[in-house]
Amino acid sequence: MTDKHEQQNMTATTPPDASDALPEGAIDVAVIGGGAAGLNGALILARSRRSVVVIDSGSPRNAPADAVHGLLALDGTPPSEILRRGREQVRQYGGHVVFGEVVTAEPAAPSTDGDLRFTVTLADGRSITARRILVATGLTDVLPEVPGLAEHWGHSVVHCPYCHGWEVRDEAIGVLATGPVSISHAYLYRQLTEDLTYFTHGTNLDEDNRARFAARGIRIVDTPVTEVVNDAHGALAGVRLADGQVVTRSVIAVLAPMRIRDRGLEGLRLPVQDVPNKGRSFASGAAGITEVPGVWVAGNVTDLTAQVGASAAAGALAGADINRMLAAADADAALHLAGTGETL
């Protein structure tokens, strides 16, 4: 438990983008991942007077985006600013934020009273022992291998109509298909513009959907896309097809397959599940609890489509559930000590 004066001093002296020192001894919770889910989980735990360390790799999924949208009261706020505020608030209640890459996370020998223990080791060799773990590492979008696509990711190449749709309304939008899920993606973007082209890019589009696209005024291009074309100023200007034709577009929408960030977490043996047309995620139950005792998951690592608000909410639920389980473990430990004649 962190002393009140230590909390106040930490808030006053730790810059928001600096890394705290790892505390000595066992802590209550190690949060692996410093995005919305991880920080909100840590906030709930720190406010419950739990010793908590957030381990942040410093590479958030939404870093290329200019702003977060669809988040009540914070719509239009840069992702970096939300994270800065989040770190500051976690530290305000005595939590620590440590920047580093996790290389191993695995169960350790239990405490003398039988409580769980985990060891988390960072790439620089530092390690910490925690009673519980919250995994909130998020995911990575795996873009199609189309030259020029990645350089516009988060700006003129977008994936979410709720995250970026308003900002690209009435633009000349092209949907670059990655599979059947792109069909519904096209209907959502048609709500935002009348100038929409669907590039099948080797994926199947049945006659029923072709007829529906035609009825909605969505142009269909079956010739594969070979590259993204820029204008003289480096802005996205369109796509080149395999036959050499250039189709003018100012925005490309693509639902890329998603891959969870699980590097260094193999030792936890977390179960995974297939999410049709999207990828794989860690399996979890209510409040992010997993089949692995002492380990919770929250955010995109278990819910591939969660936006910032949903991820933050999931982190809060997981944090509250972890605190509940720790409270029960604390009572068990007190009972164990009482039986031996000792006290906490």
Side-chain angles (χ1 to χ4, degrees), residues 98 142 168 188 274 316 344:
V98 174
V142 184
V168 300
L188 296 177
D274 290 315
L344 286 173

Side-chain angles (χ1 to χ4, degrees), residues 163-337:
C163 306
H164 312 285
W166 176 263
E167 286 64 41
V168 300
R169 67 193 185 282
D170 297 326
E171 296 278 354
I173 300 176
V175 173
L176 181 63
T178 57
V181 70
S182 295
I183 296 173
S184 59
H185 204 218
Y187 292 123
L188 296 177
Y189 275 98
R190 177 61 182 83
Q191 172 65 20
L192 299 165
T193 184
E194 295 184 359
D195 188 355
L196 186 66
T197 299
Y198 188 87
F199 299 95
T200 58
H201 198 55
T203 65
N204 182 58
L205 184 63
D206 60 32
E207 292 306 316
D208 177 63
N209 278 297
R210 287 178 182 271
R212 292 167 69 87
F213 277 16
R216 288 291 283 145
I218 301 173
R219 179 188 176 195
I220 300 169
V221 173
D222 289 310
T223 307
V225 173
T226 59
E227 66 174 332
V228 169
V229 177
N230 297 337
D231 64 17
H233 304 288
L236 192 152
V239 297
R240 191 183 310 279
L241 307 180
D243 61 7
Q245 177 188 359
V246 173
V247 180
T248 301
R249 297 287 89 184
S250 57
V251 175
I252 300 297
V254 55
L255 269 181
M258 294 169 277
R259 182 174 62 234
I260 56 175
R261 295 178 174 179
D262 57 359
R263 181 181 178 185
L265 304 178
E266 297 84 357
L268 296 177
R269 300 185 182 278
L270 290 168
V272 297
Q273 60 187 1
D274 290 315
V275 182
N277 299 317
K278 292 183 176 68
R280 307 184 81 193
S281 69
F282 286 135
S284 65
I289 195 167
T290 74
E291 294 177 4
V292 181
V295 182
W296 281 253
V297 292
N300 285 140
V301 78
T302 186
D303 182 355
L304 299 180
T305 60
Q307 293 179 257
V308 173
S311 292
L317 289 173
D321 200 51
I322 293 171
N323 184 53
R324 178 182 66 85
M325 295 295 284
L326 283 172
D330 291 340
D332 290 341
L335 184 62
H336 172 79
L337 288 175

